[in-house]
Amino acid sequence: MDITKLTIHELRDMLRKGEISSEEIVKAYFDRIEETEAKLNSFISLNKEEAIKSAREIDKRLKNGEKLGDLAGIPVAIKDNIVTEGVKTTCGSKILENFVPPYDATVVKKLKDEGAIIVGKTNLDEFAMGSSTENSAYKTTKNPWDLERVPGGSSGGSASAVAAGQVPFALGSETGGSVRQPASFCGVVGLKPTYGLVSRYGLVAFASSLDQIGPFTKDVEDCAIALNSITGYDSKDSTSINREKIDYKEALVNDVKGLKIALPKEYFDDSIDAEVKNKVYEAIKVLEDLGATVEEVSLPHTEYALATYYIIAPSEASSNLARFDGVRYGNRVKDYDSVEDLFVKTRSQGFGEEVKRRIMVGTYALSSGYYDEYYRKAQRVRTLIKQDFEKVFENYDVIISPTTPTTAFKIGEKATDPVSMYLSDILTVSVNMAGICGMSIPCGYANDLPVGLQIIGNAFEEKKVLRVAYTYEQNSNFERKQPKIGE
């Protein structure tokens, strides 16, 4: 038996029956990391000694008959823009190369309280700005399905680690699709929760009105388990919503009879790869045959979504990243002639090209004389995009589309063309701007690369999204494959 191919719920059941120990599980995953990491570059840092120590503690508690949660003794990887006490958090940037946080993010604390074992921090585009994980200051993560291709971004390290069996699950973060897009490219499940459902306390901010933390898992049941562990009100996050705690495992119902599914025509236009569309249509047919009603709808302001996103997100980034100046936060250059020279040299040498580009775009959009023309106008269009979704959800339970316009592209293919790179987010950014939830699950392969099915739900309707995803997963008839890394 290969432990690294098992899901969270399979590992949990074996642990509870005493068929395996947490220490055996953790060591098996570190063996897998040692075997594959040189080819993939999923991780920025590893936490082996502490992880094995934590696993032994869980084994003791299990032997003592303690009743533990679903994640007790299960390894997890954390995207390196989510702070972890005593473990470096770089955000994929040289400016935070030596930052060791003095506290845990709320989601990390929740995972530790559940008994999850943190094995390491995963690679990302610098400050989560990118769609390919090529913008990391440290390394380029590879797609386990084809080492010449990107894993998506910005949470590419987390997606690659789960797809390659380096961990059973991982956390990523989303600002414009950074969980769903890499989940699609790597053939795993990825969920972007509703804004306010999961605390962002301890997530290094990129664009505060858009950022959200979400899980990567191997299947939908694992996604519900992971979501259960990280949701809940947090007084340390002013955007956290105080709602009744929900058990998302209750959504794992194999039934979509009577549900109404909307297909936005703008998400199926000629810019979407024909093979990708075919796989998504095959998945929709499965749900239709199971009793769901499927109808075409329109989200008329979709054509403005990408332009709007790339004004709002850089504007917020330019404000959030102002703190990294070598005085308040971040590494400081050694040689400088004045305070101004210190700021200029620290930020010029500390940030990569994509981060600088977005800071400049955002600063321009917020500057005197242009604020109304760009930022205020973008916020108005954002409201129209949100209203488009609200109108559809008056009559439909979920919206379905491809997650990405294409399968994973080649490393370097879009690196020198930012606009082409930004277009890979065209089907995901609207969900972030509307603050609703979305999920990507595998629905087949095009040219031996995974294709993602995107299921979008209204605010706080993750249960409906999980129900549709679970039903499709239980009834899909495509042959599931495992990536053969480097073979």
Side-chain angles (χ1 to χ4, degrees):
M1 178 184 61
D2 184 347
I3 291 171
T4 64
K5 289 183 178 175
L6 301 179
T7 60
I8 294 173
H9 51 93
E10 289 168 337
L11 292 167
R12 174 203 61 195
D13 293 346
M14 291 178 71
L15 275 168
R16 287 179 178 175
K17 290 175 187 170
E19 295 172 354
I20 196 169
S21 70
S22 176
E23 185 175 347
E24 286 175 286
I25 293 171
V26 169
K27 284 182 174 176
Y29 276 101
F30 273 109
D31 287 346
R32 178 67 174 166
I33 291 170
E34 194 170 316
E35 177 192 342
T36 56
E37 180 59 11
K39 295 175 182 172
L40 294 172
N41 292 330
S42 303
F43 287 88
I44 287 181
S45 60
L46 290 167
N47 192 34
K48 186 173 182 178
E49 194 175 323
E50 191 62 31
I52 291 173
K53 186 178 164 190
S54 300
R56 286 173 180 157
E57 287 296 318
I58 293 293
D59 287 334
K60 275 186 198 172
R61 293 172 65 185
L62 286 169
K63 277 184 185 171
N64 289 336
E66 280 190 50
K67 191 175 178 184
L68 302 177
D70 287 331
L71 295 178
I74 307 294
V76 58
I78 308 291
K79 186 177 179 180
D80 205 28
N81 61 346
I82 301 172
V83 302
T84 39
E85 183 179 0
V87 179
K88 271 204 303 188
T89 299
T90 68
C91 291
S93 179
K94 287 290 182 191
I95 208 163
L96 287 178
E97 191 171 16
N98 301 311
F99 174 51
V100 179
Y103 68 100
D104 281 326
T106 295
V107 289
V108 172
K109 185 174 184 310
K110 282 176 175 284
L111 289 175
K112 285 182 176 177
D113 289 347
E114 277 259 326
I117 312 291
I118 294 170
V119 300
K121 307 294 293 290
T122 53
N123 196 25
L124 69 158
D125 288 300
E126 185 177 9
F127 284 101
M129 297 182 195
S131 307
S132 64
T133 317
E134 293 171 287
N135 294 333
S136 168
Y138 300 98
K139 54 183 75 172
T140 296
T141 299
K142 316 285 178 60
N143 190 315
W145 292 89
D146 181 343
L147 298 180
E148 293 184 355
R149 293 179 187 272
V150 303
S154 62
S155 310
S158 293
S160 169
V162 174
Q166 295 179 318
V167 282
F169 80 112
L171 292 188
S173 70
E174 275 236 8
T175 305
S178 291
V179 170
R180 286 164 290 153
Q181 187 249 29
S184 175
F185 280 6
C186 291
V188 297
V189 173
L191 175 74
K192 182 263 176 210
T194 302
Y195 190 79
L197 186 68
V198 176
S199 170
R200 292 104 43 83
Y201 179 71
L203 170 67
V204 178
F206 162 12
S208 302
S209 76
L210 300 162
D211 296 339
Q212 194 57 256
I213 295 172
F216 290 93
T217 58
K218 291 178 179 171
D219 68 11
V220 177
E221 183 171 346
D222 280 3
C223 185
I225 291 170
L227 190 61
N228 271 351
S229 71
I230 61 173
T231 54
Y233 174 67
D234 181 12
S235 60
K236 295 173 183 167
D237 178 357
S238 62
T239 65
S240 179
I241 305 294
N242 195 353
R243 291 170 55 87
E244 186 181 345
K245 183 79 176 170
I246 289 174
D247 182 359
Y248 292 98
K249 288 190 290 184
E250 291 175 357
L252 304 176
V253 179
N254 186 2
D255 180 18
V256 289
K257 275 182 195 158
L259 290 187
K260 292 187 72 177
I261 296 172
L263 306 186
K265 62 183 181 183
E266 294 82 2
Y267 286 49
F268 289 86
D269 66 17
D270 292 341
S271 67
I272 312 301
D273 179 83
E275 277 296 300
V276 169
K277 271 197 285 194
N278 286 341
K279 295 300 170 189
V280 171
Y281 281 131
E282 286 173 15
I284 292 165
K285 181 73 168 56
V286 170
L287 294 168
E288 200 169 25
D289 289 345
L290 290 167
T293 302
V294 179
E295 293 175 350
E296 185 180 270
V297 298
S298 177
L299 295 168
H301 296 95
T302 297
E303 64 176 304
Y304 307 112
L306 204 62
T308 305
Y309 173 83
Y310 277 101
I311 291 173
I312 293 172
S315 297
E316 295 185 11
S318 74
S319 175
N320 279 325
L321 269 61
R323 75 191 71 175
F324 301 108
D325 55 14
V327 177
R328 290 171 292 178
Y329 293 97
N331 290 340
R332 180 188 299 187
V333 293
K334 291 180 181 172
D335 299 320
Y336 52 89
D337 299 325
S338 63
V339 173
E340 185 179 352
D341 191 43
L342 163 68
F343 289 162
V344 170
K345 284 181 177 171
T346 293
R347 287 168 67 82
S348 297
Q349 294 173 27
F351 291 137
E353 292 306 309
E354 181 60 27
V355 171
K356 290 178 195 169
R357 182 181 295 116
R358 297 199 193 195
I359 288 173
M360 286 191 285
V361 168
T363 304
Y364 181 80
L366 292 176
S367 60
S368 177
Y370 296 98
Y371 180 88
D372 286 341
E373 188 173 350
Y374 293 105
Y375 187 72
R376 191 184 296 278
K377 192 178 286 183
Q379 290 290 15
R380 287 175 176 162
V381 176
R382 180 181 187 174
T383 300
L384 295 174
I385 290 168
K386 186 171 185 290
Q387 288 171 347
D388 281 352
F389 282 109
E390 288 170 351
K391 194 171 176 184
V392 169
F393 285 125
E394 285 176 4
N395 297 306
Y396 296 89
D397 295 291
V398 295
I399 296 169
I400 283 185
S401 76
T403 308
T404 56
T406 65
T407 53
F409 48 86
K410 289 201 168 181
I411 292 170
E413 185 179 330
K414 301 184 179 184
T416 57
D417 184 352
V419 174
S420 174
M421 184 74 80
Y422 299 163
L423 283 168
S424 62
D425 302 331
I426 198 163
L427 301 177
T428 52
V429 295
S430 295
V431 168
N432 298 75
M433 286 196 291
I436 55 180
C437 58
M439 185 175 192
S440 181
I441 60 170
C443 68
Y445 307 90
N447 300 318
D448 291 327
L449 294 169
V451 175
L453 176 76
Q454 180 170 226
I455 305 168
I456 300 168
N458 204 356
F460 302 107
E461 293 205 336
E462 280 79 1
K463 284 181 84 171
K464 273 187 189 172
V465 171
L466 287 163
R467 176 181 167 186
V468 173
Y470 183 75
T471 302
Y472 171 70
E473 190 179 68
Q474 297 301 305
N475 295 278
S476 59
N477 51 13
F478 69 90
E479 183 187 353
R480 294 181 186 275
K481 303 174 186 175
Q482 297 284 335
K484 296 175 181 175
I485 301 162
E487 293 179 15

